[in-house]
Amino acid sequence: MKKYFSFFRLRFTLGLQYRVAALAGIATQFAWGFMEVMIFAAFYRGDKNAFPMSLSATCSYIWLGQGFLAFFATWMMDNEIFDSILKGNIAYELCRPIDIYNIWFSKSVAVRLSRAMLRCFPILLVAAFLPDPYGLAKPESCLHFFLFILTLALGLLVTAAFCMLIYILTFYTISPQGLRILFTSAADFFSGGVIPLPFFPEPVQKIMELLPFAAMQNVSLRIYSGSMETDEMKKAILLQLFWLFILIFTGKILCRRAEKKITVQGG
Amino acid sequence: MKKIISDIKLYKHYISINLRGMMQYKTSFFLSAMGQFLISFNVFLGIFFLFQRFSKVEGFTYSQVLLCFSILLLEFSLAESFARGFDTFSEMVRQGEFDRILVRPRGEILQVLGSNFELTRIGRMLQALVMFVYGVSKSGIDWNLLKILTVFFMILGGTSLFTGLFILQAGLCFFTLEGLEIMNIFTDGAREFGKYPMEVYGRKMLLFTTFLIPYSLVQYYPLLYILERRTSPLYVVLPLAAAWFLFPSLALWKLGVRRYTSSGS
Amino acid sequence: MITVNHLCKSYRIAKRNPGFTAACKALFHREYEIIHALKDVSFTISDGEMVGYIGPNGAGKSSTIKILSGILTPEGGTVSVDGRVPWKNRIEHVRQIGVVFGQRSQLWWDVPVMDSFELLKDIYSVPTPQYKKSLEELTALLHLEELLRSPVRQLSLGQRMKCEIAASLLHNPRILFLDEPTIGLDAVSKLAVREFILQLNKEKGTTVILTTHDMQDIEALASRIILIGKGQILMDGNIDSIKKGSAAIDETVAELYHSYEVV
């Protein structure tokens, strides 16, 4: 545990060193959030009744999405891991007495956590002071805030487990590039990264909510502003746990098979 | 004159060597082109599903929005293909490859332009064309020569504007390599948010994109003319005015090169 | 003829202190320090000379080479290369020089070597007859016939270096700058490269300026050594006058570095 904490600290310090990069990143994400908010506000002006959730809840969704971008963006993958697979350095890692799935998984989580910690506070703080309904609203209630934190953590783990599948499938494919493109753009769309899931037509939304992608950012960002009923929340959290289990389970099995393949073929 | 002819000949040679290199990796080329298509396809899907729920945004219909988005996407992809060398210039500086350019007896701009020609953006152009055809066929526009000319000028002006932005970004590389992400707001951000007519983003944004970074000159105003909400023929040539952006960008680039040669990094 | 007088150059770099607290502090305030890369450097190199320019890392070697090749503008001092000031009229100047950066490639990775050569012909606007003549000579001297049709990525390091050198000479420059030309090469390739450079210098009278850490290169090629350390010329002279008896060149240079306290 101490090992992971010091790794996290190192990443965080590294992030701080590049202060201009951090500031530029924050500015970019802020601009992105702002433009998104303007788009939804324009649609809201056009037809208030067609809006599936309140404008304020939509804006909170957008700002939280920007604040925790590093948690949920599947395209932010660890190139070190890809390189170690493609260039064969993985052979060294296999020599060490550690479980490769666990070490990569915790590394991915640590990287995402440190990135988000560096960027989320300034973004969320500014967003909180924007005039209502365009800014980040207060959470619906204490309970909602608690559930938000819980589902945020679950969502992070699901995202990391999903990315693990992409890393591991690299072993099995001749074209990791194509696989990566396909998976990340599907994840971006189905997780509610392009538009929040409630904005999809009802039948489409029903199916999308069952997919593993909906267990990423969708749940926590919607729970925060109370746009989910109690039953929906229960179901969503159970689905998060279910997908987390399935993703890790498949990942571990595929990882073990890949390890065998490498040891047999000699890398 | 002789110099210009020789420059054009050299540029063609650069493009040809880039294409020959790319054809060595056909699978990779195909996949990257597909990836480019998918990224923009997500944006398209976002618009599509929002318009399942809403009929209009600021008075613009679905097909009109697609028309607007497709032209901007085409401009962006064209600029990205041709000015890719400027877009990826930070890599060139990091790896010290700019030194190589300086020890060759040719203009730096020509050499950077020639260093990279990105044909994979054809994936995006293809999507832009499909949306354009759909937008044109559904928006019931009465086409005439002036309107066709307007579209042509939009593509010309917009490609220049985005090329200018890439040059600006490259120029900044001489001053900071860390803060470059901020330029994404103006390049990728414009591609992403140029999908809706600028009016959607409010009056202040419209002013900003008219006078400071003139996206509206190649997007919003000519669109109004094509949709016959404005009639003054001034709107036909307005997109060409966006090319003024090249001048400050080139000035910053020149300043950057001078700084590079005096600091060596 | 290259004349360098009282050349000065300094850089300002940001300090980066280790540790978490320092990183937080640096968010608000950053300290800089001035590095004097060149302090009053002067030398003269005549036409057709072969000079080894040596010194430990960070001594100012690459700053000098950058200034001589027109990439960098100095703060003080004068430089004249065949009557030209390199940084004043860069394009005219670089037409007459060739530069080989041993660690970086100037060839296009995925296309046959020949294609890169053709492009360089256009970049340097070399007239076709002259290009054909240079190409023939270089192909014969460096034994390139077999290599010209293969893409660069398929060549070995030694084969690639030969092609790199040929690429820098297609426009028939009067002066050749070689930066670590034998780094990472196997013994056979090293010898071939050295032999070629000697021949080039003898037959065409090309001035060669060589920076390297490989002292065998210096021994084989350079009749004169300029030693730079901490931004100053420490020694400029004949290679034999430095060598003490039968001591190997590596030891001699190491001793020199120590005696001048530059490492």
Side-chain angles (χ1 to χ4, degrees):
Chain A
M1 200 58 215
K2 209 181 151 202
K3 198 167 68 188
Y4 297 130
F5 182 71
S6 58
F7 178 75
F8 174 77
R9 215 178 117 120
L10 189 77
R11 291 286 319 191
F12 195 69
T13 316
L14 213 70
L16 275 180
Q17 289 261 349
Y18 296 97
R19 57 171 179 171
V20 186
L23 286 176
I26 290 167
T28 308
Q29 276 173 250
F30 195 78
W32 231 258
F34 177 76
M35 298 298 272
E36 285 285 335
V37 164
M38 293 307 271
I39 290 177
F40 280 97
F43 276 105
Y44 189 77
R45 280 197 300 277
D47 189 355
K48 287 182 183 57
N49 298 325
F51 239 63
M53 50 209 261
S54 74
L55 181 60
S56 159
T58 314
C59 294
S60 295
Y61 182 104
I62 293 168
W63 289 120
L64 289 170
Q66 286 302 329
F68 293 101
L69 185 75
F71 269 27
F72 301 118
T74 43
W75 44 266
M76 281 187 189
M77 285 208 263
D78 197 333
N79 282 323
E80 270 176 45
I81 298 183
F82 272 116
D83 280 354
S84 109
I85 296 170
L86 292 174
K87 292 183 182 155
N89 293 347
I90 187 172
Y92 296 107
E93 304 213 25
L94 285 175
C95 293
R96 289 188 220 140
I98 41 167
D99 184 309
I100 205 152
Y101 187 94
N102 290 352
I103 195 89
W104 282 357
F105 186 82
S106 34
K107 190 176 165 221
S108 315
V109 173
V111 169
R112 285 177 185 277
L113 208 60
S114 62
R115 264 198 204 158
M117 286 301 130
L118 202 63
R119 292 189 176 186
C120 77
F121 293 113
I123 294 173
L124 297 182
L125 199 71
V126 177
F129 284 101
L130 288 179
D132 199 50
Y134 303 110
L136 174 69
K138 280 204 238 11
E140 182 73 6
S141 72
C142 278
L143 177 71
H144 280 89
F145 186 70
F146 169 74
L147 288 176
F148 162 72
I149 298 290
L150 176 78
T151 50
L152 192 70
L154 281 174
L156 168 65
L157 295 178
V158 171
T159 313
F162 176 77
C163 288
M164 281 303 291
L165 271 191
I166 306 182
Y167 295 131
I168 295 162
L169 283 174
T170 311
F171 285 117
Y172 295 94
T173 167
I174 32 167
S175 160
Q177 193 193 3
L179 190 89
R180 192 172 165 179
I181 292 168
L182 209 67
F183 269 62
T184 50
S185 42
D188 192 33
F189 180 70
F190 286 106
S191 67
V194 179
I195 51 175
L197 296 192
F199 283 85
F200 285 93
E202 200 117 330
V204 184
Q205 190 196 338
K206 279 234 159 65
I207 301 166
M208 285 173 101
E209 282 186 342
L210 295 174
L211 300 177
F213 308 107
M216 296 171 177
Q217 59 176 335
N218 167 54
V219 183
S220 54
L221 267 46
R222 277 166 69 193
I223 284 183
Y224 179 88
S225 50
S227 39
M228 266 187 177
E229 310 276 328
T230 317
D231 285 346
E232 277 182 291
M233 288 197 282
K234 272 186 200 153
K235 203 177 116 196
I237 294 174
L238 284 176
L239 269 171
Q240 276 190 311
L241 289 167
F242 170 74
W243 281 119
L244 182 62
F245 175 75
I246 295 284
L247 287 172
I248 292 183
F249 186 71
T250 348
K252 286 211 162 196
I253 289 180
L254 286 174
C255 189
R256 201 153 306 154
R257 276 187 48 194
E259 279 175 45
K260 275 202 192 109
K261 211 173 111 198
I262 291 170
T263 23
V264 172
Q265 291 175 348
Chain B
M1 196 60 204
K2 207 177 140 204
K3 187 176 168 288
I4 294 174
I5 293 173
S6 134
D7 279 359
I8 291 173
K9 190 180 153 216
L10 179 61
Y11 184 65
K12 278 201 249 167
H13 203 152
Y14 269 124
I15 294 214
S16 125
I17 209 166
N18 271 305
L19 290 181
R20 268 177 285 161
M22 198 146 47
M23 283 310 136
Q24 297 281 313
Y25 304 96
K26 291 204 182 67
T27 327
S28 169
F29 167 75
F30 176 76
L31 287 170
S32 306
M34 189 187 77
Q36 294 300 325
F37 181 89
L38 281 177
I39 294 170
S40 307
F41 191 65
N42 269 354
V43 181
F44 161 76
L45 284 178
I47 299 175
F48 173 81
F49 280 110
L50 276 182
F51 274 100
Q52 297 286 307
R53 190 172 278 275
F54 306 93
S55 57
K56 275 182 179 175
V57 62
E58 299 290 327
F60 293 96
T61 64
Y62 172 56
S63 54
Q64 290 168 349
V65 167
L66 278 194
L67 190 65
C68 166
F69 178 36
S70 65
I71 297 176
L72 192 106
L73 191 63
L74 189 65
E75 295 160 1
F76 184 83
S77 327
L78 279 171
E80 225 189 357
S81 309
F82 288 99
R84 184 70 177 162
F86 286 105
D87 190 16
T88 56
F89 188 69
S90 60
E91 268 314 294
M92 197 177 237
V93 171
R94 271 196 196 103
Q95 291 170 1
E97 286 298 320
F98 192 59
D99 287 354
R100 172 63 64 196
I101 280 184
L102 289 177
V103 296
R104 284 183 173 156
R106 288 291 182 153
E108 304 92 32
I109 291 175
L110 177 67
Q111 290 189 70
V112 175
L113 274 180
S115 69
N116 203 338
F117 172 71
E118 192 61 65
L119 193 65
T120 59
R121 298 307 187 261
I122 203 150
R124 264 193 201 143
M125 290 182 213
L126 210 67
Q127 195 201 335
L129 282 179
V130 173
M131 289 193 302
F132 181 72
V133 170
Y134 181 87
V136 165
S137 69
K138 289 282 171 177
S139 46
I141 295 167
D142 213 359
W143 289 96
N144 59 31
L145 192 68
L146 275 178
K147 285 185 190 171
I148 295 171
L149 207 61
T150 311
V151 173
F152 180 69
F153 285 162
M154 280 166 93
I155 295 170
L156 212 64
T159 310
S160 315
L161 169 61
F162 283 116
T163 305
L165 281 163
F166 288 130
I167 295 176
L168 185 74
Q169 177 180 316
L172 284 176
C173 294
F174 293 115
F175 300 90
T176 168
L177 284 174
E178 284 180 32
L180 283 178
E181 195 184 332
I182 206 150
M183 279 304 292
N184 285 353
I185 300 176
F186 304 110
T187 54
D188 290 350
R191 183 200 70 214
E192 177 85 19
F193 295 106
K195 59 194 173 188
Y196 296 110
M198 282 303 160
E199 196 188 342
V200 164
Y201 304 102
R203 214 187 132 61
K204 274 181 202 143
M205 194 53 82
L206 193 61
L207 280 174
F208 177 78
T209 58
T210 303
F211 296 107
L212 274 170
I213 303 182
Y215 303 114
S216 288
L217 298 188
V218 297
Q219 193 231 29
Y220 177 65
Y221 299 112
L223 186 73
L224 292 182
Y225 180 80
I226 293 175
L227 300 177
E228 290 180 7
R229 296 192 192 175
R230 298 284 191 280
T231 48
S232 159
L234 182 72
Y235 285 82
V236 179
V237 289
L238 204 55
L240 289 180
W244 73 260
F245 198 76
L246 279 169
F247 294 103
S249 305
L250 285 170
L252 183 87
W253 165 264
K254 290 244 158 81
L255 199 72
V257 172
R258 202 179 307 154
R259 184 188 149 100
Y260 184 89
T261 53
S262 70
S263 77
S265 58
Chain C
M1 175 123 132
I2 302 173
T3 328
V4 174
N5 276 317
H6 310 296
L7 205 56
C8 291
K9 183 74 204 170
S10 58
Y11 305 107
R12 196 179 77 136
I13 56 162
K15 263 191 200 167
R16 257 192 196 146
N17 295 323
F20 184 75
T21 346
C24 288
K25 251 190 227 159
L27 270 177
F28 304 101
H29 177 73
R30 190 154 277 187
E31 287 168 35
Y32 292 93
E33 59 187 323
I34 306 278
I35 303 283
H36 296 282
L38 296 175
K39 297 180 272 199
D40 195 24
V41 165
S42 307
F43 56 80
T44 309
I45 296 172
S46 327
D47 285 344
E49 252 193 295
M50 279 230 260
V51 178
Y53 196 54
I54 60 168
N57 287 328
K61 287 193 308 271
S62 65
S63 296
T64 319
I65 299 297
K66 279 185 173 176
I67 290 171
L68 288 180
S69 52
I71 300 175
L72 197 61
T73 313
E75 269 148 23
T78 58
V79 173
S80 154
V81 180
D82 292 338
R84 298 178 305 266
V85 180
W87 61 91
K88 283 273 167 61
N89 194 348
R90 186 178 64 76
I91 290 191
E92 266 320 300
H93 174 66
V94 296
R95 224 184 270 285
Q96 312 294 335
I97 62 167
V99 187
V100 177
F101 298 112
Q103 316 242 43
R104 285 187 232 134
S105 180
Q106 61 170 320
L107 302 166
W108 276 259
W109 195 242
D110 296 314
V111 296
V113 177
M114 197 58 198
D115 290 17
S116 292
F117 284 6
E118 297 268 332
L119 184 63
L120 285 167
K121 169 184 182 284
D122 276 359
I123 290 176
Y124 284 92
S125 322
V126 185
T128 310
Q130 193 197 321
Y131 169 76
K132 278 198 175 137
K133 191 166 157 267
S134 304
L135 186 63
E136 262 170 42
E137 283 173 7
L138 291 165
T139 311
L141 281 173
L142 284 160
H143 311 290
L144 301 177
E145 312 79 31
E146 309 283 305
L147 310 180
L148 291 178
R149 303 270 146 225
S150 19
V152 177
R153 72 186 135 88
Q154 288 172 7
L155 301 181
S156 74
L157 203 57
Q159 292 171 325
R160 217 185 74 202
M161 185 48 69
K162 286 199 222 166
C163 296
E164 294 280 349
I165 294 175
S168 314
L169 292 169
L170 285 169
H171 58 290
N172 218 348
R174 300 286 313 125
I175 302 169
L176 180 64
F177 293 98
L178 293 166
D179 183 22
E180 307 259 2
T182 58
I183 196 162
L185 298 193
D186 61 82
V188 179
S189 310
K190 263 189 196 177
L191 289 178
V193 165
R194 282 180 199 150
E195 196 197 334
F196 169 75
I197 295 169
L198 275 175
Q199 216 163 346
L200 176 83
N201 173 261
K202 205 165 84 189
E203 286 176 14
K204 297 214 156 178
T206 311
T207 311
V208 178
I209 296 163
L210 173 78
T211 63
T212 182
H213 287 295
D214 186 329
M215 290 308 149
Q216 270 88 39
D217 278 355
I218 297 284
E219 205 169 17
L221 295 174
S223 43
R224 174 179 164 200
I225 290 183
I226 298 177
L227 172 70
I228 184 170
K230 291 183 177 162
Q232 284 167 313
I233 302 282
L234 300 174
M235 210 208 62
D236 182 349
N238 192 297
I239 189 156
D240 298 315
S241 65
I242 307 167
K243 271 176 83 171
K244 289 168 196 147
S246 60
I249 183 102
D250 272 320
E251 270 86 51
T252 317
V253 171
E255 210 173 287
L256 268 176
Y257 284 5
H258 281 299
S259 66
Y260 288 112
E261 293 177 338
V262 289
V263 275

